[in-house]
Amino acid sequence: MTAVSAYLGLGSNIEPERHFPTAMRALQETFQVVVFSPVYRSPAFGLEGDDFLNAVARIETSLSPLELDARLHAIEDDHGRDRGVPRWSSRTLDIDILLYGDLWLQSPALEIPRKEILTAAHVLKPLADLAPDLQHPVERATIAELWAKFPQDEVDLTPTPLSS
């Protein structure tokens, strides 16, 4: 299979200063091409809990979407991800496939592109930083255009440098 660009959303709110750098290294060790957006701190979204660190990564992969999802779950599991808790819970690490080439997939196993691109500043802003000219495969607008239309009163993000 030919390599495709995929965009991944990363988040952590349980010891994120520890889990985020190691997750970034794990992605770099797994994929030959990895580029990261800036990291942002944001309040917990959809749950009570500590602030999240969030970023987006662009990778090149020849894995199918389901194979990629399984590989990302393995990285999450290596970081102590507890899958026995409700969906909207605090987590050591969450890595979601936001975009996979220009694929549009709605299935019980995967949703690509992820709806959070359009509804969550902590996903859209780092994606806009990383790939402003990328076209959303469903909305047919660039990520920069989507960010420009995002309600700014719903944005609560703080750029956060990570120490290595």
Side-chain angles (χ1 to χ4, degrees):
M1 179 177 180
T2 305
V4 65
S5 291
Y7 291 83
L8 313 176
L10 289 75
S12 173
N13 78 329
I14 297 175
E15 298 183 68
E17 287 80 7
R18 177 168 71 98
H19 291 291
F20 229 76
T22 58
M24 293 169 98
R25 279 193 297 278
L27 289 173
Q28 289 169 323
E29 291 166 2
T30 303
F31 303 100
Q32 285 190 322
V33 177
V34 183
V35 181
F36 294 102
S37 73
V39 176
Y40 291 93
R41 181 174 298 279
S42 64
F45 181 79
L47 61 103
E48 293 291 322
D50 293 335
D51 287 352
F52 271 83
L53 290 184
N54 294 99
V56 169
R58 179 181 63 81
I59 64 166
E60 296 292 322
T61 184
S62 56
L63 297 173
S64 72
L66 287 174
E67 291 168 333
L68 176 58
D69 194 49
R71 184 76 51 94
L72 299 175
H73 280 181
I75 293 171
E76 291 173 341
D77 293 345
D78 288 346
H79 285 80
R81 173 74 184 261
D82 182 357
R83 298 191 191 284
V85 298
R87 179 173 185 221
W88 297 103
S89 298
S90 292
R91 57 209 56 195
T92 55
L93 183 62
D94 185 32
I95 308 176
D96 295 318
I97 304 170
L98 302 175
L99 296 162
Y100 182 95
D102 60 1
L103 181 67
W104 183 9
L105 172 68
Q106 302 296 311
S107 78
L110 279 177
E111 168 195 309
I112 300 172
R114 293 284 294 219
K115 288 184 180 105
E116 291 87 351
I117 293 171
L118 304 176
T119 61
H122 66 270
V123 175
L124 184 55
K125 173 59 173 149
L127 183 58
D129 290 339
L130 189 58
D133 298 326
L134 181 69
Q135 185 154 106
H136 189 284
V138 178
E139 297 297 314
R140 294 296 181 208
T142 67
I143 300 302
E145 290 168 337
L146 295 172
W147 177 245
K149 293 180 196 173
F150 195 87
Q152 294 302 301
D153 61 336
E154 295 180 21
V155 176
D156 189 359
L157 301 173
T158 305
T160 304
L162 289 177
S163 54
S164 326

